Amino acid sequence: MQLDLSRSRRRRRWWLLPLVPAVLWLCLPRLAAALPAAAARADRVIGARYTARLDALQQENFALHQRLAANADAVAENEALRSLLGSGRAVGCVTPARVLARTPGGLTLACPDAAPGAAVLDAGGRYAGTVTSSDGHCCTVAFTAAAGLCGSCVGLATPGRWVLTGLPADCTLTTGEIVTTPGGDWLGMLAAAPVPDADGLTASAPLTDTADLHAAVYFVRTD
């Protein structure tokens, strides 16, 4: 008797193949029921993470907006200081002051130590008005007319109108000449040569490079 050590042939179970569709068909209802549940669960998990992330971003955005609002005054004052320093005009000693309120003819500034009669300049160092009163918390400013010196002539300029009036009818001023207040504050430049008025005794000329009366920060002269 001899042992047969040769590899035995594997039996091919082809008869199992027809059972696969049947098994899938039987499992299909369970799979159909399980897929929506799995999808809903995944949606809840992903949605919860998305909502939490969105809430965190919204809170961070709100906090940033609060910080920006709190720093808005400081930013405006900083920009005004930069503009003043870059104007190239000698403005002497000044104190920055934020606008608290506006009226048709003036402003209320946060500058409690302002002295009545002090000149008020914009961020470009240009004359904008005069302090009329101070109550220890703020000061009021009026857009009052100021004498305008131009060459050897003297006129009158009112903030907002920005026309140099009352000049001698025979003055020989030309476009581009500088106009200042008696205190040396910048009023502007002649935008055109003076034109005689109807009375024939005086002349007027429009001004350019004048104060910004809509600024958020002004400077009160303290010297």
Side-chain angles (χ1 to χ4, degrees):
M1 183 176 180
Q2 294 181 352
L3 294 175
D4 185 6
L5 300 178
S6 62
R7 184 179 297 175
S8 61
R9 294 182 179 179
R10 292 183 179 179
R11 295 181 180 180
R12 296 183 180 181
R13 300 175 181 177
W14 296 104
W15 59 273
L16 293 176
L17 291 178
L19 295 179
V20 174
V23 173
L24 291 176
W25 178 261
L26 291 175
C27 294
L28 187 60
R30 294 185 178 181
L31 291 174
L35 285 176
R41 182 178 179 183
D43 184 65
R44 286 195 299 271
V45 172
I46 296 173
R49 292 179 180 177
Y50 173 79
T51 303
R53 180 58 176 164
L54 180 61
D55 290 342
L57 289 174
Q58 288 179 339
Q59 291 177 359
E60 183 179 351
N61 185 52
F62 179 72
L64 289 173
H65 277 81
Q66 282 187 319
R67 290 176 60 185
L68 286 174
N71 294 330
D73 292 339
V75 170
E77 183 174 315
N78 184 51
E79 291 179 351
L81 281 168
R82 289 177 180 272
S83 179
L84 182 67
L85 293 174
S87 67
R89 297 169 187 144
V91 294
C93 299
V94 292
T95 299
R98 293 180 293 105
V99 175
L100 300 178
R102 295 180 181 274
T103 62
L107 307 163
T108 299
L109 301 180
C111 191
D113 299 326
V120 177
L121 314 177
D122 76 345
R126 298 165 294 201
Y127 175 85
T130 305
V131 175
T132 56
S133 64
S134 176
D135 62 4
H137 299 284
C138 58
C139 68
T140 57
V141 178
F143 297 146
T144 54
L149 307 181
C150 186
S152 59
C153 302
V154 180
L156 192 67
T158 302
R161 289 185 56 197
W162 301 122
V163 176
L164 189 61
T165 61
L167 294 169
D170 59 350
C171 68
T172 58
L173 300 175
T174 59
T175 303
E177 295 200 48
I178 297 173
V179 183
T180 64
T181 66
D185 298 317
W186 183 278
L187 266 173
M189 300 170 62
L190 295 184
V195 176
D197 298 324
D199 59 11
L201 301 176
T202 57
S204 303
L207 298 178
T208 187
D209 192 19
T210 54
D212 176 12
L213 300 183
H214 301 283
V217 177
Y218 289 85
F219 296 88
V220 180
R221 186 178 287 282
T222 57
D223 54 355

